Amino acid sequence: RQTLSRAKVLPFFANLEPCLIGIESCASSQYWARELTQQGHTVKLMNPKFIIPYRKSGKNDANDAEAICEAVGRPNMRFVAVKSVEQQAVCALHRSRQHLTQARTALINHCRGLLAEFGVVLPQGSEKLRHDLPALLADESSGIPPLLHAMMQEHLVDLARMDQRIHAIDLQLRAWMSQHTEAQRLEQIKGVGVITATAFVAGVVDAHLFKNSRQFAAWLGLVPKQYSSGGKSRLGGITKQGDVYLRTLLVQGARGIVYQAGKREDRLSGWIKALVARAGVNKAVIAVAAKQ
């Protein structure tokens, strides 16, 4: 029940005997876990949704702390692995790359939307915008008002700058992968490239925490939701639990494998084609992602 300011947290725990500390997995929790572990404490991070059932009444700091203390001592509680500083840095690169990619897509859609208001409709795709927009701005009969020319030129400069930053992050991730055999082994899997391999090595701290591949797929949210009772099994769509970014990368790679299966005659492609015919493309993509 004691309230501590941020500056007093580490000194407070430094004066305690080594003990078990439970923390909700949230922003900055990885940092605190590393710092407290260096002081000799045993730190356990937990998903907040696993703590909620232990909260007795309304949500406040005292009730949350009591619930965390109760949850961290449960024998069947599932904990979040603590990342190293290097792994956290690689995850930060991926988050920055994801942010830049989304911002680039938003900028492209913004430009296409503005031009459509003046009857200038550009084909979908970033390359079409990069190729066609400079020519349209140079053409006085294109229909783009002169008042917008300067702004569109600046948007093109911003787009080129985003491309450069994304490419620089890609080079950093490739250089990091060249020094880690785990990422290099993952890259050998179909549908897995530099981005996916480095994201999984950094995001999945210890794969030995999972008993088998199906448990790992469940952690990623690639297994059906269950609403079963009275011996009746009811399955729905995938749970979508776990890391959204990792699951998205895996599903995108699996979608590429499914689309290429129609051009191949190997055993995996035969299984995929039969699955597509029986269950459809989307379910086949999820099945391939879980199988990877």
Side-chain angles (χ1 to χ4, degrees):
R1 297 184 180 277
Q2 183 174 352
T3 302
L4 299 172
S5 65
R6 181 180 296 271
K8 295 180 180 180
V9 172
L10 292 179
F12 172 81
F13 282 100
N15 293 324
L16 294 180
E17 293 293 329
C19 60
L20 174 63
I21 301 175
I23 304 177
E24 277 191 350
S25 180
C26 58
S28 75
S29 61
Q30 293 279 341
Y31 164 77
W32 291 113
R34 288 192 296 267
E35 293 295 321
L36 294 172
T37 299
Q38 290 179 0
Q39 293 183 354
H41 301 292
T42 301
V43 182
K44 299 289 187 180
L45 301 181
M46 295 168 288
N47 192 317
K49 71 177 183 180
F50 294 152
I51 298 174
I52 293 175
Y54 296 96
R55 193 171 61 224
K56 294 178 181 177
S57 53
K59 178 176 172 58
N60 55 48
D61 291 342
N63 289 339
D64 281 345
E66 184 179 358
I68 292 171
C69 288
E70 182 68 23
V72 75
R74 297 300 90 198
N76 294 326
M77 177 57 63
R78 284 181 285 178
F79 299 104
V80 177
V82 179
K83 297 181 178 67
S84 66
V85 174
E86 184 182 26
Q87 289 172 322
Q88 197 77 52
V90 174
C91 289
L93 285 177
H94 277 276
R95 294 295 179 265
S96 297
R97 185 185 188 278
Q98 184 183 24
H99 168 73
L100 288 169
T101 302
Q102 292 172 346
R104 181 177 62 181
T105 302
L107 179 60
I108 292 171
N109 291 336
H110 172 72
C111 292
R112 294 183 70 251
L114 290 180
L115 294 175
E117 295 293 336
F118 302 98
V120 180
V121 179
L122 293 175
Q124 293 186 2
S126 59
E127 292 302 324
K128 294 293 185 180
L129 180 72
R130 295 185 183 91
H131 179 268
D132 295 350
L133 185 53
L136 289 172
L137 293 175
D139 185 2
E140 296 181 357
S141 62
S142 63
I144 302 176
L147 192 62
L148 295 182
H149 282 205
M151 183 186 69
M152 286 298 172
Q153 290 287 1
E154 291 178 0
H155 285 339
L156 286 173
V157 173
D158 293 338
L159 186 60
R161 175 58 178 161
M162 289 180 185
D163 289 338
Q164 293 173 359
R165 294 178 65 186
I166 292 172
H167 180 65
I169 293 176
D170 290 343
L171 293 178
Q172 285 182 278
L173 293 175
R174 181 172 292 278
W176 186 83
M177 189 185 72
S178 65
Q179 302 174 3
H180 293 78
T181 56
E182 298 91 345
Q184 294 171 20
R185 287 200 302 267
L186 285 177
E187 193 189 19
Q188 304 304 315
I189 301 174
K190 286 185 177 181
V192 176
V194 176
I195 304 301
T196 305
T198 53
F200 269 82
V201 171
V204 183
V205 179
D206 185 7
H208 296 290
L209 295 175
F210 305 98
K211 295 180 180 179
N212 48 49
S213 59
R214 181 165 180 79
Q215 192 178 85
F216 182 64
W219 177 74
L220 279 177
L222 292 172
V223 296
K225 288 186 291 188
Q226 288 198 46
Y227 191 78
S228 304
S229 180
K232 295 181 179 179
S233 179
R234 298 182 178 89
L235 301 179
I238 60 173
T239 64
K240 295 184 179 180
Q241 296 181 355
D243 193 309
V244 177
Y245 181 67
L246 295 181
R247 184 175 64 253
T248 300
L249 291 176
L250 204 59
V251 170
Q252 287 176 343
R255 192 171 296 277
I257 295 175
V258 171
Y259 287 159
Q260 291 295 323
K263 305 176 183 178
R264 300 178 179 176
E265 299 298 332
D266 56 279
R267 183 178 178 182
L268 176 62
S269 298
W271 175 78
I272 292 175
K273 286 186 283 188
L275 184 59
V276 170
R278 184 174 70 253
V281 174
N282 289 334
K283 291 182 179 179
V285 168
I286 298 299
V288 172
K291 194 179 185 66
Q292 286 179 288

